[in-house]
Each structure stands twice: as C-alpha cells, then as structure tokens.
Amino acid sequence: MKTTVETKLRTSYISIEGRFDAHEVARFREQMDDLLAAGTNQFRVDLSTVNFIDSSALAALVALSRSATTAAGSLEIHNPSAPTQVILELTGLDQALSIIASEESSNSVQAN
Amino acid sequence: MHPSIGELRQHVAELADAVVSANDQLLSLYRLTQFASASLDSNVASQETVEEARSGLGATGVAFISNDPNTSQGHTPMSGTVSSSLLNVAAATTASLPQLIPHHANPAMLAEVRTNSRCYGALVAERDHGPFGTADLKLLDAMASHLALILELSALHEDRVHQAVLQRDYDTASALARAALNRPLPVSTGMELGAASIPARAAGGDFYAAGRSKTGVYVALGDVSGKGLPAALVMTSAISSTHSAFARHPEGDASHTIYDVESQICGYLSETGMFVTMALAHMDLSSGQMEVVNRGQSPVVLATGGQTINIAACGPPLGVVSARLYPAHRWTMSDNDLLFIGSDGCTDQRNASQVSIGESGVSQLVQNAVGQSAQAVVDAVIGAATAFTVEAEQDDDLTAIAIRRRHNRRSSDSH
C-alpha cells in the first residue's frame, strides 16, 4: 500500500493506493493519529486506486471518522474504486460513512 | 655513514616496542575472537563490546554512537571517558572507512559499525597518552565489525521473539474460536441446520450461533473486524451476547434480537475501534415466516424455487453507529428453501492468481448443492473455498451456516 498525504490548514488530503488490509492498518492509524495530533480535523481520503480493502481497514476508517467528529471535523471518502464501493455497500458502511463519488468530488478532492 | 651504537640501540628499542605492541594487538584480536556476549539484548551486548574494545586498544575511553533511536534510547554505551566533543564529531561524521580523527585534543579514531545490509553507527576510541597507529585503527575496525555482527544477531533474535509472541496470540485466538463454536446445533422437525468454521492461522473473528425460540429457531453469523487475539476476544463476547439475546427474545424477533446484541457490545466496540458484521435470522417453524436482519454480512443467499437471491445489508455493522432498530427482510420459506449465510472469507479468499470466488461464485455453489442437506451445502461452499486457495495461504476464516425448511419432512418420513 502507498499512502500520500497533503495537508492544508486543518484539512488533510490522503490518497491510498493498492491493497488496504490488516497488514497496513497499524501504519495508517499511526499516520492519522499524527495528523490529528497536529490539528487536522477534516480528512478527505481518496480510495480510487485501492484494489482490495478488508474489515480491518474499514474499521480504521470508521475509527478515523469517529476521531474526526470528536475533533469537530469530518471524514469524507472520495472516489472509491469499484471493488471498494462494492465492499462499502455489502457491509452497509455506505449508510454510515460520507462517500463522495467521482463526479461530486472532482472539484473538491484536490488540495490546490 | 654507519649509525652509531647509540642510534642502533635506539632502533632496537623502537623495534622491540613495535613487536610488543603488535603482539598486544594480536592478543587483543585473539581475545576478540574468544569474546561472546552472554546477552542478546543489544544495549547489554554493546556495553560489553566497548569494555572489551577499550581494554584491547589501551584507550582512555571507547563509545558506540548508535544511529538507531530505538536501540540507543538516549543511552550511549561507553567504557572509560570519551570527550563530548569527540562524541559530537562521531555523530556528525559520514565516513564509511575507519579513520584517525585529526585536530582533536587527544588522539582519537573512528570506525563504522556496519554489516553488508545495515549501518548501526560508529565506534570511537580516545587516548590521552600516545597516538593511535594504523594497526590500532585496524583493530578498532575489527571490533566494530564484531559489534555489528552482535547487533545483527540481536535484531534477528528480537524478530524471532516477536514472531513467537504473534504465534502464541494466533494459537490462543484459534483455541478461543474452537471453544466458542463448540456448541451443538439445535435439532428440530420442520427445519435442518448445518454449520462449519475453519479458522485461518491469524484467526479472523468469525462466529456463528443458533438457538431455539418459542416458535422457531434463530441463526446468526458474524465477523469481527481485524484478526488475531483482539478479534477472537471480541468474537467470544459477541457469541455470548448473541446467545443471551436469543434467550431474551423467545417470541422470535430478529430486529429486536440483533438490536439487543448491539446494545450489549457497542460500548466495547466503540472503545476498541472495531465493528462486527452480522446477519441474524429467525424462522418460524410452523408458518415458515423468515426474518433476516443483515448488518453488513456477506454473502447472505436465499435458495428458492431453482434460483438464488442475495439478501442485501439493511444497516451498517454493529458498533459503527449508536444502536438502533433496523427493519428485517421478511418472507415465507417454502419447503426445501434454504438460507445460507457465509463469512467474507468464502467470497474474498484469493487463489495464487489473486482471483476470488466472489458473491456470484458462492451463489452458484449454493445453487449447485441445493438438493443436498443444509450441512452438505455448507461443506460444499467451504470445501470449494478451501480447494480454491490450495496454492495460497488461507488468510481469513471460512465460516458458514445454513437453515433449510423441512415443512413436510415429518409427514413424509412417517409414510
């Protein structure tokens, strides 16, 4: 998994590429905890190039959503890839997380 | 012109000193080859090595400047006295070859502590009497290489210990999973149950449960997010909560029963940052009325009238949002209709070519086995998933439960 993070004020734009699973979750949580500690409370996570996501990774996103809300912010998931979108729907998490499809997010996911 | 007797004596004395010094260094090298640290703790081994190096070099002080913050933890293994200015020089140097350090208050030298794969830092030595020579530098380099090997060995040892701890957690998790699932399935006329679970090496927290109500039977299958011991511990709690919820709702109400389960465990799930996907069903044995609440479980497949229907999630997994009631899918099961609930291991497990069975594959397997017993359908899906991954490691639990209505079984059996 490759993660890139760009932060502007209190908003972090995070792009995840590849397999997002239990093996990668600890590092992802550490990165997000660091961002929270540095003051980020708006998280925009782009999942357009994630080719596999498992329940550990979904739990990490749910936990991040909670932390962001506690910090008076929010988590938005942008452009989930087709397999990720299927998993979000199968697990019902599309009803609990803020998911923004490609057309809606094309103007908002860029840091610039 | 021939040297004088005095000069010859001077040369002889210098040669004697050189021979003695070389002999001392040979002895030091010999002692180094005989030296073996009694500890595989990197800090202890580093301290023992600098003590040995100081003695062998006849130095005022020797120190190991580690470049690994986890190893040094602010502590510099040192023997004797090494000036802070030398420590600063050593920390800042990028030299890869052993070298005498010029322009320093006392004679000093440095050698990198390195193996082929990794640089651990530098070994520095200082002396307040007489300069270091080339032979001393080679001896320091030998000691630095020796220390690097010890540190490499220590790192390998720590890695093995870490692996052993992980393995112990996995074994405990698997034992918990086996113990938690070791309950007999209810037996009743009017229905037939089948279930199986094969934990992965890093048990994934899958579970199933079944129990009687006054009018029928409950079945449930869940999957705790994550793997290993944390998931297994939550899984045992979820199983207990599910069975107690069955008992508290003898009227047979899938919506309130799963709400009850979530109410019991959501506080813990919220604290641990985990969630539980779960499908819970109740079938009334006399009417065949089926209720299913699917909270993010997949696959959930109904086989009826020669076709299969996937039962979609009607809410997010348990523990994601505050507990609330979700309406159940409801229908009447005809005789021989079968509801199959599996864990995501059945659909997501990939073979060596990174291909998974998928939702449609599981539906097809259920369809193919639909004429057989509920246990045979479960075994067919789990068997296919196991065979599918024969060339790849099973990295998720494979768990399934199925319930079939056998409305006419008693009357047909009696004929």
Side-chain angles (χ1 to χ4, degrees):
Chain A
M1 184 181 92
K2 184 180 168 191
T3 306
T4 55
V5 179
E6 213 173 319
T7 300
K8 196 173 182 183
L9 299 175
R10 298 187 72 188
T11 302
S12 285
Y13 301 85
I14 300 140
S15 180
I16 299 173
E17 183 181 334
R19 194 178 168 94
F20 188 13
D21 62 15
H23 302 290
E24 311 288 348
V25 160
R27 195 163 56 92
F28 176 77
R29 282 185 190 260
E30 274 176 26
Q31 282 181 300
M32 298 306 108
D33 286 347
D34 288 347
L35 290 172
L36 280 161
T40 292
N41 68 346
Q42 305 290 341
F43 292 84
R44 308 288 178 256
V45 181
D46 188 308
L47 299 180
S48 59
T49 50
V50 168
N51 54 28
F52 178 82
I53 189 164
D54 76 355
S55 64
S56 302
L58 293 172
L61 290 172
V62 170
L64 179 60
S65 175
R66 279 203 196 102
S67 301
T69 304
T70 304
S74 66
L75 163 71
E76 286 178 3
I77 293 174
H78 288 255
N79 312 324
S81 61
T84 306
Q85 180 66 35
V86 167
I87 296 293
L88 289 167
E89 288 172 7
L90 286 174
T91 55
L93 283 170
D94 59 333
Q95 301 173 37
L97 296 172
S98 174
I99 299 169
I100 296 173
S102 52
E103 307 85 55
E104 301 167 59
S105 64
S106 57
N107 295 325
S108 59
V109 76
Q110 297 299 321
N112 298 329
Chain B
M1 180 179 167
H2 296 289
S4 67
I5 296 296
E7 286 172 330
L8 282 173
R9 281 182 176 155
Q10 177 69 24
H11 286 316
V12 169
E14 286 173 359
L15 279 171
D17 283 348
V19 169
V20 169
S21 176
N23 194 48
D24 286 347
Q25 286 161 349
L26 279 172
L27 279 173
S28 296
L29 272 175
Y30 174 75
R31 282 169 51 191
L32 189 63
T33 61
Q34 300 301 303
F35 167 67
S37 174
S39 172
L40 280 171
D41 179 289
S42 57
N43 287 329
V44 174
S46 301
Q47 185 61 40
E48 288 177 349
T49 305
V50 294
E51 300 280 358
E52 189 69 20
R54 180 180 165 229
S55 165
L57 288 164
T60 314
V62 173
F64 168 50
I65 315 299
S66 171
N67 60 10
D68 181 354
N70 295 322
T71 300
S72 63
Q73 293 176 334
H75 168 71
T76 300
M78 189 184 298
S79 174
T81 306
V82 178
S83 61
S84 57
S85 59
L86 178 58
L87 294 177
N88 292 335
V89 168
T93 189
T94 55
S96 58
L97 294 174
Q99 60 179 259
L100 299 169
I101 299 175
H103 315 305
H104 192 260
N106 289 326
M109 57 184 178
L110 170 151
E112 202 174 39
V113 178
R114 158 184 289 283
T115 61
N116 287 336
S117 58
R118 184 175 167 187
C119 175
Y120 290 92
L123 200 60
V124 291
E126 187 171 21
R127 187 191 274 168
D128 60 6
H129 57 280
F132 289 118
T134 306
D136 294 315
L137 197 56
K138 288 191 178 301
L139 185 57
L140 181 72
D141 193 30
M143 288 172 166
S145 298
H146 179 75
L147 178 56
L149 286 173
I150 290 177
L151 293 175
E152 190 104 311
L153 189 61
S154 172
L156 286 171
H157 172 71
E158 284 167 11
D159 188 48
R160 290 294 295 270
V161 168
H162 180 65
Q163 291 295 329
V165 169
L166 276 182
Q167 185 60 50
R168 188 195 59 191
D169 281 2
Y170 291 158
D171 291 345
T172 308
S174 291
L176 278 172
R178 282 194 301 274
L181 296 174
N182 190 24
R183 293 188 188 213
L185 296 172
V187 177
S188 175
T189 53
M191 67 91 190
E192 180 195 311
L193 285 175
S197 182
I198 302 177
R201 192 179 75 87
D206 284 9
F207 64 93
Y208 62 80
R212 291 297 309 264
S213 69
K214 279 182 182 170
T215 59
V217 62
Y218 282 111
V219 294
L221 187 144
D223 184 357
V224 180
S225 62
K227 296 187 191 305
L229 193 52
L233 289 170
V234 174
M235 177 264 286
T236 57
S237 172
I239 289 180
S240 300
S241 301
T242 303
H243 280 287
S244 71
F246 289 165
R248 277 201 293 274
H249 296 276
E251 73 280 11
D253 181 335
S255 286
H256 281 89
T257 303
I258 200 167
Y259 172 80
D260 192 334
V261 176
E262 183 169 27
S263 299
Q264 289 181 65
I265 62 175
C266 68
Y268 182 70
L269 291 174
S270 183
E271 277 178 24
T272 55
M274 301 168 96
F275 61 68
V276 179
T277 57
M278 188 181 205
L280 188 147
H282 178 267
M283 186 173 79
D284 186 289
L285 291 178
S286 60
S287 69
Q289 177 72 28
M290 176 68 88
E291 292 184 350
V292 178
V293 179
N294 183 1
R295 300 287 301 278
Q297 192 59 49
S298 171
V300 183
V301 180
L302 168 66
T304 179
Q307 62 174 338
T308 56
I309 300 166
N310 288 313
I311 310 298
C314 48
L318 280 59
V320 172
V321 295
S322 301
R324 54 171 279 203
L325 274 176
Y326 288 88
H329 298 279
R330 287 188 175 84
W331 69 91
T332 301
M333 296 279 278
S334 299
D335 190 30
N336 282 326
D337 280 0
L338 178 135
L339 180 71
F340 174 92
I341 308 173
S343 66
D344 58 358
C346 300
T347 52
D348 295 351
Q349 186 69 48
R350 295 178 176 216
N351 64 11
S353 305
Q354 295 300 300
V355 176
S356 59
I357 292 181
E359 291 269 305
S360 58
V362 169
S363 293
Q364 189 60 53
L365 287 165
V366 171
Q367 182 65 44
N368 293 344
V370 79
Q372 303 171 43
S373 68
Q375 186 62 53
V377 174
V378 166
D379 291 343
V381 174
I382 298 244
T386 307
F388 193 70
T389 60
V390 70
E391 291 174 1
E393 185 183 359
Q394 180 195 330
D395 61 8
D396 202 358
D397 298 345
L398 296 170
T399 303
I401 190 165
I403 179 169
R404 180 193 297 283
R405 189 173 186 218
R406 292 291 200 196
H407 182 51
N408 297 322
R409 174 55 60 94
R410 185 163 23 178
S411 56
S412 63
D413 286 351
S414 64
H415 292 300

